[in-house]
Amino acid sequence: MKAINEEKKKQLSSLPSVDELLKSPEGSQWLSVTPRKIVIQAIRDVLAEKRKNILDSQTPEISLEAIISDIDLRIRKFSSYSLMPVINATGIVIHTNLGRALLSEKAVRNIIDVARGYSNLEYDLETGKRGKRHTHTKRLLKQITGAEDAFIVNNNAAAVLLCLNTLAKGREVIVSRSELVEIGGSFRVPDVMAAGSAVLKEVGTTNKTHLYDYKRAINRNTGMILKVHQSNYKIIGFTEDVKIEELISLGKKNRIPVMYDLGSGCLVDLKPHGIHSEPSVQEIARLGVDIVTFSGDKLLGGPQAGVIAGRKKYVEMAQKNPMARAMRVDKMTIAAFEATLMDYMDDENVIKKIPVLDLLFQTPESILSRARKIASELRRKISNAEIEIIKDFSRAGGGSLPEADFPTFAVSLRPAHITVNVLESRLRRNSPPVIARIKGNSLLLDARTIQKHEIKSLVAAITLALCNPDEF
Ligand SMILES: *Cc1c(COP(=O)(O)O)cnc(C)c1O
């Protein structure tokens, strides 16, 4: 026992001090490129880890070289950002976990321009007086959607919450049971209702709700009729729900505002592209709905935001609600959103200009040509995996267009020396990380969401991941 302790003591005292490490040639090298705080933290962490390992009777590498190399690694980890670009090889275009919509070039440039300096965020350049941040997006939103008025908040969940609170606080909101949905874990219609201080009045059944169900539920305390787009699921079979048109006329007759939570917020007509399940915002606004809400970063293809559009009277009430202040968007969101809307003014080229739409509606030939390029580059570099191009389907994602399958091409990899799970995890921990999908014994790289400029680093990542046969 005593001998072990002596040995441990010897090892502990052989560890270099923070000061010694800082004064070593490597130390000055680190300090010349990395903030002192980060260097010191990295040294302390590595020494603490070594000390702990010694005391736990493990046998850590405590040569100076090993310690320095560990510190090197840790400094690199501390100096890199937590939020970083990844290569999306999942084929899911609006991937909520991977940041949803890619912004257009115009939107990105506008964020940079506005963020770099001062702006007229809340300053009226005509009068020289205080202005409103909502002015910057209002004109285009009204023009594009056809709604009387509109403004944006932080996301669609906030938009729904704000409208419920503004129009139905302490009052009943009639919703069909088939629309009491949960979207992405934390947005559940009943919970949002409670948070907005509205009282949920469920009507109908899971598969069928009739107009008379809504009619019967109306009373003196009804504050709103709400329709929620079943964006991320579909009830099939013996079903029936009430069209928004019918709800709008019911609402009019009874002087009750009707709101439609559209979710995705598509601003182009997708029917020519074979998609009939997603009404455009314009279509819904034209029907005369009192309020429509939708996301900025789903099919719209802009920054995270929630749009509240509809009758001027109601939109203004929502804008004046004190809660709106807690949901207000920042200048970078406004910059990106306005630029994205500007892209929509060019009707003929909008699909090409908005990356989300471009990725969804690119031709199979262009996906195949990227898949071929990836496969041929890989074949030149590696011999320890089977590589083939397969036909597959990609999804829109983000709860958008759940029924639509988008035919795609994927590069399928079957590694010879490591399991497909090891390959997947190595790619995920690459710099930049590559996020891919496992199917059976293959790793699928869906060419739909892999951009041309990413192919080189994708191939390098795969080559590196396959070169080491050992697990790490
Ligand atoms: C996505 C979605 C939401 C939530 O929108 P966020 O912008 O993610 O807050 C709300 N309602 C519906 C119907 C949706 O599809």
Side-chain angles (χ1 to χ4, degrees):
M1 196 66 193
K2 187 131 194 285
I4 298 171
N5 281 339
E6 284 306 320
E7 179 59 25
K8 279 182 184 175
K9 253 187 211 158
K10 220 172 93 193
Q11 287 187 334
L12 286 173
S13 66
S14 78
L15 289 175
S17 71
V18 175
D19 224 38
E20 278 163 7
L21 285 162
L22 280 176
K23 285 185 180 135
S24 70
E26 288 81 7
S28 358
Q29 172 63 29
W30 293 326
L31 288 172
S32 69
V33 286
T34 313
R36 193 178 176 85
K37 251 190 184 163
I38 292 181
V39 176
I40 291 181
Q41 191 60 50
I43 294 176
R44 283 199 180 129
D45 282 8
V46 168
L47 291 179
E49 196 178 271
K50 298 287 179 199
R51 254 180 243 120
K52 184 172 179 297
N53 287 346
I54 294 169
L55 291 171
D56 290 348
S57 300
Q58 295 166 12
T59 41
E61 261 293 357
I62 52 167
S63 68
L64 192 58
E65 295 86 69
I67 290 173
I68 283 174
S69 133
D70 283 5
I71 295 170
D72 247 341
L73 262 180
R74 194 153 307 225
I75 286 178
R76 233 175 297 153
K77 198 171 140 199
F78 283 173
S79 320
S80 61
Y81 293 120
S82 164
L83 178 64
M84 63 182 116
V86 306
I87 296 176
N88 176 5
T90 66
I92 300 168
V93 175
I94 309 169
H95 199 306
T96 299
N97 303 143
L98 301 184
R100 286 206 185 153
L102 282 73
L103 296 180
S104 72
E105 237 359 88
K106 223 192 190 118
V108 171
R109 256 183 289 130
N110 206 29
I111 294 175
I112 296 171
D113 288 347
V114 167
R116 274 225 175 97
Y118 296 108
S119 62
N120 61 335
L121 180 63
E122 288 188 351
Y123 186 81
D124 186 332
L125 296 172
E126 293 294 318
T127 62
K129 296 207 171 80
R130 192 194 163 144
K132 286 204 173 99
R133 68 179 61 213
H134 295 307
T135 3
H136 307 295
T137 44
K138 226 177 242 292
R139 181 181 60 87
L140 286 175
L141 264 178
K142 280 158 62 176
Q143 189 169 349
I144 292 166
T145 63
E148 273 177 30
D149 201 359
F151 75 106
I152 61 174
V153 291
N154 271 331
N155 49 42
N156 187 34
V160 173
L161 178 63
L162 181 61
C163 292
L164 286 171
N165 184 265
T166 305
L167 301 176
K169 188 175 175 185
R171 307 183 71 187
E172 289 179 2
V173 176
I174 309 176
V175 193
S176 162
R177 287 200 167 85
S178 66
E179 295 170 5
L180 294 176
V181 297
E182 167 175 316
I183 289 134
S186 52
F187 182 94
R188 296 175 129 195
V189 173
D191 299 344
V192 175
M193 197 76 73
S197 308
V199 181
L200 174 62
K201 178 88 180 176
E202 305 173 31
V203 296
T205 60
T206 305
N207 58 331
K208 280 204 176 202
T209 302
H210 305 276
L211 187 60
Y212 61 72
D213 290 318
Y214 286 92
K215 268 188 191 160
R216 279 184 202 152
I218 292 175
N219 62 48
R220 284 172 57 198
N221 197 31
T222 303
M224 178 194 280
I225 297 172
L226 170 66
K227 189 169 179 64
V228 182
H229 188 47
Q230 300 167 337
S231 39
N232 56 0
Y233 79 112
K234 189 81 196 161
I235 297 176
I236 52 168
F238 187 60
T239 67
E240 191 164 329
D241 65 357
V242 183
K243 288 205 169 68
I244 185 71
E245 292 92 314
E246 296 175 272
L247 294 182
I248 291 169
S249 72
L250 181 67
K252 269 210 184 89
K253 250 180 251 160
N254 293 277
R255 295 168 180 273
I256 296 167
V258 176
M259 173 162 125
Y260 197 171
D261 171 14
L262 256 184
S264 282
C266 186
L267 296 180
V268 291
D269 184 6
L270 294 183
K271 287 185 208 79
H273 299 277
I275 289 163
H276 298 270
S277 58
E278 192 64 38
S280 68
V281 174
Q282 292 89 326
E283 261 177 273
I284 300 301
R286 216 178 297 131
L287 295 173
V289 73
D290 295 299
I291 292 271
V292 55
T293 69
F294 50 96
S295 292
D297 54 353
K298 290 185 181 171
L299 284 172
L300 194 151
Q304 179 190 303
V307 180
I308 297 172
R311 296 222 180 285
K312 195 172 172 59
K313 177 170 86 168
Y314 297 127
V315 174
E316 274 181 353
M317 279 166 71
Q319 211 176 304
K320 283 188 187 134
N321 185 328
M323 225 187 224
R325 176 64 168 80
M327 302 170 174
R328 75 174 191 184
V329 285
D330 74 321
K331 60 189 176 185
M332 288 181 283
T333 302
I334 294 172
F337 203 85
E338 190 183 9
T340 305
L341 290 177
M342 201 64 95
D343 284 326
Y344 275 94
M345 297 307 284
D346 187 2
D347 288 334
E348 273 141 50
N349 301 304
V350 66
I351 302 268
K352 279 272 152 258
K353 289 193 167 178
I354 302 288
V356 163
L357 299 175
D358 186 34
L359 292 179
L360 281 175
F361 300 114
Q362 58 193 306
T363 63
E365 296 79 55
S366 76
I367 301 176
L368 179 58
S369 112
R370 274 204 313 285
R372 283 198 176 124
K373 175 131 176 67
I374 297 164
S376 78
E377 299 269 316
L378 282 174
R379 285 193 184 109
R380 284 197 320 174
K381 294 256 166 67
I382 59 176
S383 53
N384 49 1
E386 241 177 77
I387 301 163
E388 56 177 337
I389 294 175
I390 63 156
K391 272 190 174 175
D392 201 30
F393 292 97
S394 344
R395 307 226 137 241
S400 306
L401 312 176
E403 300 139 278
D405 281 327
F406 295 85
T408 192
F409 291 95
V411 176
S412 153
L413 287 178
R414 250 172 219 257
H417 307 298
I418 54 174
T419 67
V420 69
N421 297 75
V422 169
L423 178 60
E424 184 273 339
S425 109
R426 285 182 183 178
L427 289 177
R428 184 159 28 86
R429 285 176 286 159
N430 186 67
S431 167
V434 176
I435 315 298
R437 190 152 52 87
I438 293 173
K439 192 176 183 181
N441 289 324
S442 311
L443 192 74
L444 295 191
L445 307 162
D446 189 329
R448 174 182 298 278
T449 46
I450 299 167
Q451 307 189 72
K452 223 179 195 156
H453 69 265
E454 294 171 331
I455 294 181
K456 214 172 143 199
S457 41
L458 172 68
V459 170
I462 295 167
T463 313
L464 182 68
L466 286 171
C467 80
N468 181 0
D470 307 320
E471 166 69 282
F472 67 76

